[in-house]
Amino acid sequence: MFVPSEVKKAVLMLEEAGFEAYLVGGCVRDSLLGKAPTDYDVASSAFPEEMKAVFKNEHVIETGIKHGTLTVLINSVPIEITTFRIDKDYEDNRHPSEVLFTRSLKEDLARRDFTVNALAYNEKTGVIDVFGGKNDLEHGIIRCVGNPDERFSEDALRIMRALRFASVLGFEIEEATASSVHKNKNLLKNVSVERLFSELKKLLCGKDAAKIIKEHSEVIAVLIPELAVLNGFDQRHFRHDKDALCHTAAVIENVPPLPHLRLAALFHDIAKPLCQTVGDDGIAHYYGHAPLGAQMAGGILTRLKCDTETKNAVCELIKRHEDRFAAEPRAIKRLLGKIGKDAYDDLLTLMRADDLGKKPEYFPGEEFYENYLKIGADIIAKEECFSLRDLAVKGADLIEKGMEPGPEMGIVLDALLEEVIDEKLPNEKEALLEFALQNLF
Ligand code: ATP
Ligand code: MG
């Protein structure tokens, strides 16, 4: 197993002082899977004060010293080291009421959530596998360490983590663990939304997100009850061959694994059940589901304490996901002026995924979206004007020509922008001012 020299040094320093030290958790799991770990966590038999003594000549940050965690910087690389611990008596499904330090690696591994996360590694001992994590890793299985009911009632976040790891690693949740996930799902209500949302985003960006959302929608619905009705919701439309949940899952699968796109996919049709009307021909329509969906998604994301930038991006995409506009520069410039290039590209990505989630015969072909994207890219590449920011005339120019500052100025600038977008006027100061003086003042 590859271990960076800084991590090796930290482990060695602890060992030379007479303590045990191992790599633990995600870094061992990911290394055995042949993936580069995101970070390296070290666990040690040294108690917090003893760790501080070992690293007294290094830069140490007391990250969570009460829980036995400190960060040591070796050659500016931060390494998190945690004393072996036992978490005792969870009374509220989320916080251990007591943290006991121990000298036993085995006891520390026993408090970890899943067998694949309960592996330890040290150059001298190799992989230490007390709970069969290596075998589960080989077979792609998420299994609780110990009794699932007990482990989920200690810390209900583990329920979401089970789904998250299954999605990210593409693993199956072992039967007893899966049935306990469902049995205990309501305990998720006791967990802070920040922790849940962080796991949800990782789940959505995993390779098996669509499968997990379909199989475990009732679990997700504990934190997002608005999703519950999508399961089994008959779309009653000739373009659709899936219920609203399976369609949603297909859309998730067909957008890249970025949180804002996956969240937009998850919520894009959330208002459909509320907006359904059925015509005499038996075909259902969903007028207004896009703007209402954006509003609902905004409410949900606020509740989940999503950052504002992501929330706004998600709502913008949902609001416009049903908009149809011509594949010609004028319409596209107008849209670019409203939402910008990144959101424009994301919108087409979402629209394509939405269409891929319908009956294949209604898919207009990849060229359809590529054409839109190309027109947008050309407008940007040629630095064409599509917003007031690019317009060759500014408010100050109008004032110089004798216009009173005020709301009319905005109207004049907007009118000039329309002329430029419609290619009736060049984006040149002289021509624009002349037109404004003759027609708009
Ligand atoms: P990644 O960092 O790639 O998301 P990870 O496995 O390192 O995955 P972390 O959340 O960083 O996940 O946690 C580090 C380790 O701590 C886990 O591998 C697991 O052993 C343990 N762990 C984390 N959260 C819990 C929890 N809620 N209950 C039990 N053990 C946990
Ligand atoms: Mg980690």
Side-chain angles (χ1 to χ4, degrees), residues 26 38-39 41:
T38 42
D39 48 24
D41 293 326

Side-chain angles (χ1 to χ4, degrees), residues 86-298:
I86 305 168
D87 298 334
K88 289 273 281 198
D89 304 308
Y90 292 73
E91 277 159 11
D92 52 4
N93 320 119
R94 54 194 157 137
H95 295 300
S97 42
E98 212 183 332
V99 173
L100 297 177
F101 298 127
T102 165
R103 299 284 186 193
S104 155
L105 170 68
K106 196 175 161 194
E107 284 180 327
D108 181 81
L109 295 178
R111 73 163 169 99
R112 294 176 183 271
D113 46 10
F114 307 109
T115 60
V116 294
N117 287 346
L119 294 164
Y121 173 87
N122 165 305
E123 292 213 305
K124 298 184 188 79
T125 60
V127 175
I128 296 187
D129 176 14
V130 185
F131 300 102
K134 248 164 100 175
N135 191 49
D136 285 344
L137 210 49
E138 272 158 32
H139 293 91
I141 293 169
I142 299 298
R143 183 198 311 267
C144 280
V145 171
N147 179 310
D149 286 346
E150 281 172 24
R151 304 314 309 281
F152 291 143
S153 40
E154 284 170 1
D155 179 1
L157 182 74
R158 292 170 188 155
I159 294 169
M160 273 300 280
R161 285 174 62 87
L163 306 192
R164 187 259 277 202
F165 285 114
S167 169
V168 170
L169 302 172
F171 283 16
E172 292 292 329
I173 304 174
E174 171 271 334
E175 225 177 280
T177 300
S179 70
S180 181
V181 158
H182 280 263
K183 184 169 141 197
N184 292 293
K185 59 180 183 290
N186 285 313
L187 297 179
L188 285 174
K189 290 178 184 149
N190 303 338
V191 180
S192 79
V193 288
E194 289 92 337
R195 295 174 83 205
L196 290 170
F197 188 52
S198 160
E199 293 295 335
L200 176 69
K201 281 186 288 186
K202 290 179 186 170
L203 184 171
L204 283 172
C205 292
K207 60 179 167 195
D208 271 354
K211 173 172 173 255
I212 297 296
I213 295 289
K214 279 190 282 188
E215 284 176 7
H216 302 282
S217 66
E218 291 148 43
V219 180
I220 310 290
V222 175
L223 58 146
I224 309 168
E226 294 88 340
L227 284 171
V229 285
L230 299 187
N231 192 3
F233 182 80
D234 182 356
Q235 306 217 55
R236 301 177 67 175
H237 194 281
F238 55 86
R239 277 199 208 97
H240 282 280
D241 52 2
K242 299 177 198 65
D243 74 9
L245 179 68
C246 292
H247 167 71
T248 294
V251 180
I252 289 173
E253 199 160 48
N254 284 305
V255 296
L258 297 169
H260 72 291
L261 283 171
R262 293 269 162 121
L263 285 164
L266 179 66
F267 296 134
H268 81 288
D269 275 349
I270 200 160
K272 264 194 168 180
L274 284 173
C275 295
Q276 191 185 56
T277 51
V278 183
D280 294 339
D281 53 3
I283 294 174
H285 298 281
Y286 303 94
Y287 301 114
H289 82 272
L292 184 62
Q295 207 180 334
M296 286 172 71

Side-chain angles (χ1 to χ4, degrees), residues 52-73:
K52 282 207 275 188
V54 171
F55 297 110
K56 62 179 183 300
N57 297 323
E58 310 293 329
H59 185 174
V60 167
I61 307 162
E62 298 191 10
T63 333
I65 203 78
K66 265 199 242 140
H67 299 103
T69 303
L70 62 77
T71 303
V72 52
L73 292 165

